[in-house]
Amino acid sequence: MHLVIIGNGIAGVTCAQTLRRLRPEARITLVSAESAHHFSRPALMYLYMGHLRWPDVKPFEDWYWPENRLELVHDQATGLDVAGKRVLLARHPPLAYDALLLATGARTRYYDWPGQHLQGVQGLVTKADVERMSQATQGVRQAVVVGGGLIGVELAEMLRARRLEVTMLVRDQHYWGSVLPPEEAALVDEQLRRHGVRVRYATELAEVLGDAAGRVRAVRTAADEELPCQWLGVATGVVPNLDLTAGTAIETDRGILVDELLQTSVPGIYAAGDCAQRRNPPPGEAAIEPLWYTGRMQGETVAHTIGGQPTPYRRGPWFNSAKFFDLEYQTYGQVPAGPVEGQSSFWWQHPSAPLGLRLHYRTGGEQALLGLNALGLRLRHEVCDAWLRAGAPLRTVLEQLGAANFDPEFFPQHEASIVAAYSRQHPDEPPLTLRRRKGLLARMLS
Ligand SMILES: Cc1cc2nc3c(=O)[nH]c(=O)nc-3n(C[C@H](O)[C@H](O)[C@H](O)COP(=O)(O)OP(=O)(O)OC[C@H]3O[C@@H](n4cnc5c(N)ncnc54)[C@H](O)[C@@H]3O)c2cc1C
């Protein structure tokens, strides 16, 4: 059995590692054009900022791959011969497979702005992007970042680390308006300002303007304002990389369409990670999940199926985490950006420090927890996950907050003030009793 995997990102590599464990005799080949060895994409920003070097962002030593009989082909796959079960490569002979995993990731989304092909305009997805950005921002004084999501803030942080003047253009009325409620967005906004980032809300990019040498010199907004810049970062999301499916019977939509076993419309060909789009995701789940941990879960799941143990992909409660400069952010389950009928939220914010916690719950009945947002407070994944899977009542969650505090030794404890704030807002409810942390976590998880 020969499994060929195109893409050595987290989805491809996790599949390879899992299959090696399940099927020691299998031949496994990873093809990737980007880099000879797997690296951590979320760590790319630290290369630019000089905090890490290339060897530091590779989670495995180079000997790991031959040691585990994982064959690496550093080459571009140029096409698929689906009938002949072969992958065509730019610099190597075609590679025959029994099973094929497409784990080709995603690329920067552009919106057809006039001037977007000028020098100094780019996104941040690949290792080559970081190298290009490093070169292109040398000697630059002013940069603009278009897009107010996680990558937008990362770009701003990277550029500020090299002391560029940074202006962010954000389409929504507040930061990441499609995802964050206004209170969380205000805390992030405070961070951006504190770190010297100018943010223009309700502002859209209309055109990129160039100089005589073909380099970006300014951007024009939809309100006809011209902002001078010598570098423009595009952080308006990513789109799945579908190149290899062209001219094949592999069905695509925005991504490569897969069933719950992550199999494409062609038997024996699978897709996982940023490039995959689930045909029928469960209600409330996105069809495309461009995240590190979902890529890992999909890679692991599909390896079981390829290895002869058909296993549907079940993600469980949503989770994501990020850092906005110094502010840590975690989100679990569903926390909508605005009001939803039949649901409500309790929001706590520290009076002076950038700390906030939102508990989102179903109104009526036991007030089952639906989701949490934490800013500046680090919560235990396994505890939040257990609450969400069990639909824990809001009052229980409040009383058990101590169990979710990730690091009570190092982080000041705020449970008492959170519970007191809740009681003040709900004077008609019986008093809450904070459970003692000791033993609680073990009991909850047992
Ligand atoms: C800057 C940045 C920061 C991020 N931070 C976070 C974070 O903090 N938390 C989080 O959860 N997620 C984060 N993400 C998202 C996360 O990194 C991705 O969801 C994840 O890496 C996707 O993994 P993947 O295996 O699907 O694809 P990728 O890692 O994109 O790997 C796909 C690989 O396939 C290769 N490939 C594609 N086509 C071909 C071909 N034809 N021939 C050969 N090779 C090919 C590509 O070159 C690429 O190397 C971040 C992303 C970026 C860009």
Side-chain angles (χ1 to χ4, degrees):
M1 136 75 153
H2 184 198
L3 168 66
V4 172
I5 300 171
I6 304 183
N8 69 353
I10 186 66
V13 161
T14 307
C15 174
Q17 293 170 312
T18 310
L19 189 70
R20 169 57 65 240
R21 235 183 17 253
L22 297 173
R23 297 281 299 270
E25 82 293 354
R27 182 179 168 207
I28 303 172
T29 306
L30 282 147
V31 177
S32 185
E34 186 177 6
S35 59
H37 298 100
H38 170 60
F39 66 92
S40 164
R41 202 169 294 286
L44 279 180
M45 68 183 290
Y46 301 107
L47 290 181
Y48 179 89
M49 297 199 296
H51 300 177
L52 297 175
R53 296 161 309 130
W54 176 245
D56 305 324
V57 302
K58 292 193 294 182
F60 305 98
E61 300 285 348
D62 294 354
W63 53 256
Y64 172 87
W65 308 99
E67 173 106 346
N68 288 282
R69 290 177 295 112
L70 301 171
E71 298 172 32
L72 305 183
V73 177
H74 187 193
D75 200 355
Q76 179 80 28
T78 52
L80 300 180
D81 167 11
V82 169
K85 291 193 156 190
R86 294 183 320 157
V87 176
L88 310 179
L89 299 168
R91 289 179 283 107
H92 291 79
L95 204 49
Y97 62 80
D98 299 305
L100 176 67
L101 174 67
L102 300 174
T104 51
R107 56 164 61 110
T108 301
R109 181 209 304 268
Y110 287 86
Y111 281 93
D112 284 334
W113 297 290
Q116 69 184 22
H117 301 298
L118 287 164
Q119 279 177 51
V121 180
Q122 67 163 102
L124 172 65
V125 173
T126 64
K127 176 173 179 272
D129 287 337
V130 178
E131 288 158 359
R132 198 147 56 100
M133 181 175 170
S134 244
Q135 286 289 322
T137 53
Q138 269 177 30
V140 161
R141 197 163 62 84
Q142 296 154 309
V144 167
V145 173
V146 55
L150 298 177
I151 304 281
V153 176
E154 277 194 9
L155 281 173
E157 184 172 352
M158 292 160 75
L159 295 162
R160 289 301 294 145
R162 292 202 187 178
R163 301 188 195 291
L164 274 76
E165 291 173 23
V166 180
T167 305
M168 275 179 84
L169 308 185
V170 176
R171 194 169 51 180
D172 299 317
Q173 298 293 333
H174 64 245
Y175 173 74
W176 214 12
S178 56
V179 174
L180 289 184
E183 291 83 358
E184 284 86 326
L187 282 178
V188 178
D189 181 69
E190 204 179 290
Q191 282 289 314
L192 292 168
R193 285 174 201 282
R194 208 160 62 78
H195 286 91
V197 180
R198 295 181 199 134
V199 192
R200 300 290 192 94
Y201 293 105
T203 303
E204 291 197 45
L205 177 67
E207 186 181 359
V208 190
L209 306 170
D211 62 15
R215 277 197 61 91
V216 56
R217 66 167 177 80
V219 294
R220 193 171 58 75
T221 69
D224 214 17
E225 191 182 359
E226 211 175 290
L227 304 172
C229 65
Q230 300 83 49
W231 189 84
L232 172 65
V234 178
T236 43
V238 292
V239 288
N241 185 352
L242 308 179
D243 291 352
L244 282 175
T245 60
T248 72
I250 300 170
E251 288 175 17
T252 60
D253 176 35
R254 287 178 297 135
I256 301 172
L257 288 168
V258 291
D259 61 18
E260 63 169 8
L261 297 176
L262 304 176
Q263 183 161 232
T264 70
S265 53
V266 175
I269 301 185
Y270 302 82
D274 281 12
C275 67
Q277 175 180 348
R278 288 187 287 167
R279 284 179 191 274
N280 297 304
E285 292 192 16
I288 303 177
E289 297 175 328
L291 284 184
W292 184 262
Y293 92 100
T294 49
R296 189 169 55 207
M297 283 178 73
Q298 291 191 7
E300 190 173 339
T301 306
V302 78
H304 282 81
T305 297
I306 293 169
Q309 305 167 17
T311 305
Y313 172 64
R314 303 257 190 268
R315 191 201 64 206
W318 175 249
F319 163 69
N320 196 5
S321 69
K323 226 166 101 305
F324 304 110
F325 286 85
D326 309 325
L327 185 65
E328 280 198 53
Y329 160 69
Q330 290 181 319
T331 185
Y332 296 89
Q334 299 164 27
V335 184
V340 173
E341 212 184 307
Q343 301 179 10
S344 190
S345 263
F346 162 66
W347 168 249
W348 170 86
Q349 189 171 330
H350 192 277
S352 53
L355 303 171
L357 178 73
R358 181 179 301 278
L359 303 178
H360 189 70
Y361 57 95
R362 206 181 294 290
T363 49
E366 287 215 294
Q367 300 188 309
L369 185 74
L370 296 171
L372 304 93
N373 277 348
L375 284 144
L377 302 167
R378 197 182 287 181
L379 304 181
R380 277 184 185 276
H381 187 140
E382 62 274 40
V383 172
C384 298
D385 197 68
W387 281 335
L388 290 166
R389 283 178 193 275
L394 178 68
R395 290 178 59 83
T396 307
V397 170
L398 283 160
E399 292 188 328
Q400 293 179 346
L401 267 184
N405 191 344
F406 182 77
D407 208 341
E409 304 273 320
F410 295 102
F411 290 88
Q413 295 165 24
H414 300 286
E415 295 105 57
S417 112
I418 293 168
V419 166
Y422 180 86
S423 299
R424 275 197 304 280
Q425 289 176 25
H426 301 84
D428 301 336
E429 292 187 16
L432 286 161
T433 313
L434 264 177
R435 305 272 177 81
R436 287 166 61 85
R437 182 178 290 106
K438 209 166 174 205
L440 177 61
L441 179 63
R443 275 202 305 284
M444 276 190 67
L445 299 178
S446 67

